[in-house]
Amino acid sequence: EEEEEDEDLSEARYEVEMQIQLFETVMHSDSSDALFSMSLSGPGGAPTDVNLTDPEQIFDAVKSTAVEFDCAPFFLSTLQHLLLIPAYDPLGKAMWSKVEEGVHAVVVPEREASAELGLANLRLLVGWKERLEELSA
């Protein structure tokens, strides 16, 4: 009888441990997704989740914003300029670096200009941008 109770207890512990492992795996996956994604204002102000490490999702979000706020000609012109950067040339890498520096100087508030644009700062600056949009609406 004691052996049966010990077996039942062992099975119950095993099941609990498996549930904990499953929970931790899902929790890690969710927190990883949350770390790299952010809800941004999409077309018509509807929130849209964007993975901040996915160039296509970022492109789509920027394009939607440009179209919605009548900035599509500027967006297109900027993209056309970017097409002129040489692909495999050291000059091309230097040009991409200058583009990044220029964009950073234009879009990041002066008091934050020296900060690296990591995910934490990107989240902070997107919040600043959306607040600015709310105030100007």
Side-chain angles (χ1 to χ4, degrees):
E1 196 172 307
E2 278 184 42
E3 283 182 27
E4 282 182 33
E5 286 178 17
D6 287 345
E7 265 184 49
D8 290 343
L9 192 54
S10 287
E11 278 185 41
R13 282 186 182 152
Y14 176 77
E15 287 181 31
V16 168
E17 285 179 24
M18 293 304 292
Q19 289 294 325
I20 289 171
Q21 286 180 354
L22 177 63
F23 171 78
E24 288 174 348
T25 301
V26 170
M27 181 184 72
H28 176 69
S29 175
D30 288 348
S31 65
S32 176
D33 290 347
L35 178 65
F36 298 119
S37 70
M38 184 167 197
S39 185
L40 302 174
S41 297
T48 304
D49 284 337
V50 175
N51 180 333
L52 299 174
T53 63
D54 184 336
E56 289 181 27
Q57 288 187 26
I58 292 174
F59 173 84
D60 290 342
V62 172
K63 179 182 169 193
S64 293
T65 301
V67 168
E68 183 174 357
F69 294 102
D70 298 324
C71 297
F74 303 116
F75 181 67
L76 177 60
S77 176
T78 301
L79 293 175
Q80 290 167 339
H81 281 85
L82 294 176
L83 276 175
L84 302 175
I85 297 175
Y88 297 107
D89 190 86
L91 175 63
K93 287 184 180 182
M95 292 170 85
W96 276 110
S97 178
K98 291 286 186 190
V99 167
E100 182 185 24
E101 289 172 18
V103 170
H104 189 82
V106 169
V107 300
V108 176
E110 203 171 301
R111 69 180 189 277
E112 304 287 338
S114 63
E116 287 289 318
L117 192 61
L119 288 175
N121 283 340
L122 183 57
R123 287 174 177 278
L124 178 75
L125 293 168
V126 167
W128 169 81
K129 172 195 145 287
E130 289 185 341
R131 179 73 177 130
L132 188 63
E133 289 171 348
E134 287 174 11
L135 293 172
S136 64

